[in-house]
Amino acid sequence: MRKILYIILTATALLSVAACSEDTLEAYDTSTSALNIARGTVFGSAADYPESYSFNAYFLGGKVTDYTLQIPVRLQGVIDYDRDRHFGVMISEAESEGITDGSPVVSFDSKQVFRSGMYQDTLRATIHVDKMDSETTYKMRLKLIPGDDFTVGVPEYQYVDVQFTKNLTIAPAFWENNSKLSKITYSARKCAVFLEISGITDPEWVDDGSSVILDYWISLCKQWFEQHEEYDSNGNRIYFE
């Protein structure tokens, strides 16, 4: 069976024969295999390995009903080239808010695959945007569960926190950053339709000067509300103006 030792990048000394300084490569104990959720710059760039995950569902681009988080999981120990291995995942309810095991807002396989020949694979969890309400700020802690294939790794990398919401009560920065939008009376519903039509994913988006595209999006939003009768909480018809 062809196997090789994987070298893990660590922030602190991890059971090595000699103490090492921060951000060094260390050979880990090869008698066991463990997994760590790869988060933080010790694993690479902050863009690839964020410490935690946070998003507003309205900024996923267009009309998204399901959004799958892909969280990197790093091997600690020995690469197995001959067989897939498996790792367990659960929601830690004590550190979560608005989310419990079995919640319709999130789904994932409690037993996930770590593929053969890999030193890093992916934990996948799907957020069902259409099941979210527009008031709750959801907080979810996903934890690795040791099993037959993997023991417990570094304690601080056995979990990851995810915070998400679907709320536009407060106007995003881009609404105020663009003169043509800022002249339109803000409402969460107007903003939601605008985001669906424009596909904008950056809350800080600023018109780069090509006002033609912004004018086009605004015209489509006006048409949408003219063709769809919607009313605010006071019973007033909503128009994009």
Side-chain angles (χ1 to χ4, degrees):
M1 185 176 291
R2 187 162 67 102
K3 298 181 179 179
I4 66 170
L5 170 68
Y6 177 63
I7 306 298
I8 182 172
L9 181 64
T10 63
T12 57
L14 300 176
L15 302 182
S16 59
V17 294
C20 297
S21 61
E22 185 173 338
D23 297 334
T24 58
L25 288 172
E26 257 176 36
Y28 200 80
D29 178 7
T30 61
S31 65
T32 62
S33 288
L35 292 180
N36 296 294
I37 293 178
R39 54 181 179 80
T41 54
V42 68
F43 290 94
S45 72
D48 293 331
Y49 302 102
E51 282 285 359
S52 60
Y53 294 79
S54 178
F55 64 90
N56 186 326
Y58 280 114
F59 290 93
L60 296 177
K63 188 173 183 179
V64 176
T65 56
D66 291 314
Y67 175 62
T68 299
L69 289 162
Q70 301 189 57
I71 300 167
V73 180
R74 185 75 62 86
L75 174 65
Q76 176 182 306
V78 177
I79 293 176
D80 192 325
Y81 283 91
D82 299 307
R83 66 186 181 95
D84 291 341
R85 289 179 282 183
H86 298 85
F87 63 97
V89 181
M90 65 173 286
I91 292 174
S92 179
E93 295 185 6
E95 289 83 17
S96 301
E97 295 179 20
I99 294 288
T100 59
D101 271 325
S103 169
V105 175
V106 61
S107 63
F108 56 87
D109 291 331
S110 58
K111 186 177 183 181
Q112 305 217 5
V113 177
F114 195 93
R115 291 167 291 174
S116 62
M118 305 286 281
Y119 74 90
Q120 179 175 298
D121 214 327
T122 306
L123 185 168
R124 290 178 170 82
T126 299
I127 308 298
H128 302 290
V129 175
D130 55 343
K131 302 295 185 182
M132 296 170 60
D133 65 46
S134 59
E135 297 178 356
T136 303
T137 296
Y138 300 90
K139 296 179 182 178
M140 174 175 65
R141 174 166 290 188
L142 291 170
K143 282 181 70 174
L144 297 178
I145 306 172
D148 294 337
D149 291 326
F150 298 105
T151 60
V152 178
V154 183
E156 65 225 68
Y157 297 118
Q158 297 307 290
Y159 66 89
V160 64
D161 290 324
V162 183
Q163 179 173 302
F164 52 101
T165 187
K166 188 172 72 173
N167 192 326
L168 292 171
T169 302
I170 299 174
F174 81 85
W175 196 276
E176 299 300 326
N177 289 342
N178 295 277
S179 59
K180 293 180 181 179
L181 281 176
S182 62
K183 292 176 182 176
I184 296 171
T185 302
Y186 181 81
S187 76
R189 185 59 187 145
K190 290 180 188 179
C191 188
V193 170
F194 179 82
L195 287 171
E196 183 178 331
I197 287 173
S198 68
I200 289 173
T201 58
D202 180 7
E204 306 287 335
W205 179 79
V206 177
D207 182 21
D208 62 3
S210 58
S211 58
V212 172
I213 188 62
L214 183 54
D215 287 339
Y216 176 64
W217 289 335
I218 290 174
S219 69
L220 290 180
C221 290
K222 288 182 177 180
Q223 291 176 27
W224 195 96
F225 281 106
E226 287 170 359
Q227 296 168 2
H228 297 80
E229 284 192 31
E230 291 203 15
Y231 297 85
D232 62 22
S233 58
N234 296 318
N236 297 315
R237 175 82 182 268
I238 301 174
Y239 291 98
F240 202 79
E241 57 185 26

